[in-house]
Amino acid sequence: MTLKIEVAAESFRLAQAFRISRGAKTEAQVITVTLSDGTHAGRGECVPYPRYGESQESVTDLIRGLPSDVTRESLQELLPAGAARNAVDCAFWDLEAKRAGCRAWELAGLPAPGPVVTAYTLGLDEPEAMRANAERNAFRPLLKIKLGTPDDMPRLEAVRAGAPGSEIIVDANEGWTAEVYADLAPHLQRLGVTLVEQPLPAADDAALIGLERPVPVCADESAHDRASLGHLTGKYDVINIKLDKTGGLTEALALRAEARARGYGIMVGCMVGSSLAMAPGVLLAQGAAVTDLDAPLLLAEDRDTPILYDEAGIHPPLPALWG
């Protein structure tokens, strides 16, 4: 069946500047894909990520190069894992659900999803500012701290002081060395940190082999799709599955199953996008050890039918949004 493929570059303002170890951003720059068969239309969203050599322009070009008779099955071979394939794959799930008159999780053979507690991310900042941010969000059950500098101990201490009752996970975004990680590890344990994401650069993560891991270590930049699993042995305890890395929900579900079979814990994360990007992730996050789908909470503006967040966490999307 011939499809009309529409691609739009959009941006959503952040409520405040968001910093990680690689830089800061003030808006979420996304690509929205709409697939239409003339009767039904499905949407998907991706966030091009410069860390992986992606831009709005390069992702747009890849999507516009797809044939009009593309299917969700053929898409897996036509595009590599990454943001472009993610937006189209998720648009296919939405389109197929609308065609079938059911929800996307039914098509995937999954049980109906429920709300999931999500981490709330505190951006990298000076210790005093991070403590103040932690105090404002101390009511949240799970906080994620962006770190990744040689001087992170004061930041970590400040956040724990600001939110003494919250569970804390840490994301170094490849910003540490093996020596820094080894020095920090006992302090992470002392301060009740329950997970550390990507402490070392992906290219240097072999240094994790043989290192004591008193706090579980999660692969993020080192883990993309099923093909990357073989490189993680002996280095990581958990993998962070993000749709923009796997290239869509189709591969993400397969990756989740294989990773679990290999004994990895599952974290489901996201790039900084809108509610449309989070919606498929809620399906993926069911039963995950850690969920980090908080991006819309960082936005000053969102989609017309935003995803619901409340004390129970992030809720499944309404059909008007996706799936």
Side-chain angles (χ1 to χ4, degrees):
M1 179 177 289
T2 299
L3 293 174
K4 181 180 180 182
I5 305 174
E6 297 180 25
V7 189
E10 298 184 276
S11 64
F12 296 85
R13 290 180 295 108
L14 300 188
Q16 60 186 27
F18 182 72
R19 290 183 62 207
I20 66 171
S21 61
R22 283 190 289 270
K25 60 170 61 183
T26 58
E27 61 182 5
Q29 295 184 329
V30 310
I31 296 293
T32 306
V33 170
T34 304
L35 300 180
S36 174
D37 62 9
T39 303
H40 302 97
R43 295 188 303 165
E45 178 186 309
C46 70
V47 180
Y49 203 43
R51 165 66 178 79
Y52 304 131
E54 297 171 338
S55 67
Q56 285 188 311
E57 293 76 15
S58 69
V59 166
T60 296
D61 288 344
L62 282 173
I63 297 169
R64 286 182 173 159
L66 289 170
S68 60
D69 62 351
V70 63
T71 64
R72 183 162 59 85
E73 292 71 26
S74 67
L75 174 68
Q76 311 308 314
E77 301 299 326
L78 288 170
L79 290 181
R85 196 175 79 190
N86 175 38
V88 182
D89 183 81
C90 290
F92 263 118
W93 280 99
D94 190 27
L95 175 62
E96 291 168 11
K98 288 178 168 59
R99 281 173 171 168
C102 66
R103 300 307 306 272
W105 56 81
E106 296 176 276
L107 290 178
L110 301 172
V116 181
V117 171
T118 179
Y120 179 82
T121 305
L122 308 182
L124 182 67
D125 210 328
E126 294 304 313
E128 297 78 10
M130 292 185 74
R131 175 170 180 158
N133 200 0
E135 288 176 345
R136 287 192 296 272
N137 291 283
F139 67 94
R140 300 184 189 276
L142 178 59
L143 294 178
K144 173 173 167 173
I145 316 171
K146 290 289 189 178
L147 297 177
T149 78
D151 306 307
D152 280 336
M153 267 309 301
R155 295 182 170 94
L156 187 57
E157 297 272 12
V159 170
R160 175 47 82 201
S166 299
E167 180 182 352
I168 292 177
I169 60 177
V170 164
D171 186 1
N173 279 119
E174 304 181 279
W176 292 341
T177 63
E179 292 73 23
V180 169
Y181 167 71
D183 287 343
L184 286 176
H187 298 289
L188 297 172
Q189 188 177 34
R190 172 177 60 85
L191 292 167
V193 173
T194 57
L195 186 74
V196 180
E197 277 187 79
Q198 200 70 40
L200 308 187
D204 300 329
D205 68 358
L208 289 170
I209 297 175
L211 275 185
E212 187 176 352
R213 299 196 295 268
V215 176
V217 175
C218 177
D220 184 358
E221 286 86 352
S222 290
H224 292 255
D225 55 8
R226 282 172 291 173
S228 65
L229 281 176
H231 302 289
L232 308 182
T233 305
K235 306 173 186 177
Y236 299 98
D237 310 291
V238 179
I239 67 165
N240 188 347
I241 304 177
K242 293 179 179 176
L243 295 170
D244 277 313
K245 294 188 302 176
T246 65
L249 183 60
T250 302
E251 174 63 21
L253 291 170
L255 171 60
R256 184 180 69 172
E258 185 164 335
R260 281 176 170 162
R262 295 192 185 203
Y264 291 104
I266 302 298
M267 176 178 182
V268 174
C270 65
M271 306 302 187
V272 183
S274 81
S275 284
L276 180 58
M278 302 306 110
V282 179
L283 276 63
L284 192 64
Q286 302 297 304
V290 179
T291 297
D292 179 25
L293 296 175
D294 65 336
L297 296 176
L298 308 178
L299 300 179
E301 54 190 352
D302 199 356
R303 300 285 178 178
D304 290 341
T305 308
I307 212 155
L308 172 64
Y309 292 85
D310 61 17
E311 63 277 359
I314 180 173
H315 285 252
L318 295 173
L321 175 65
W322 182 88

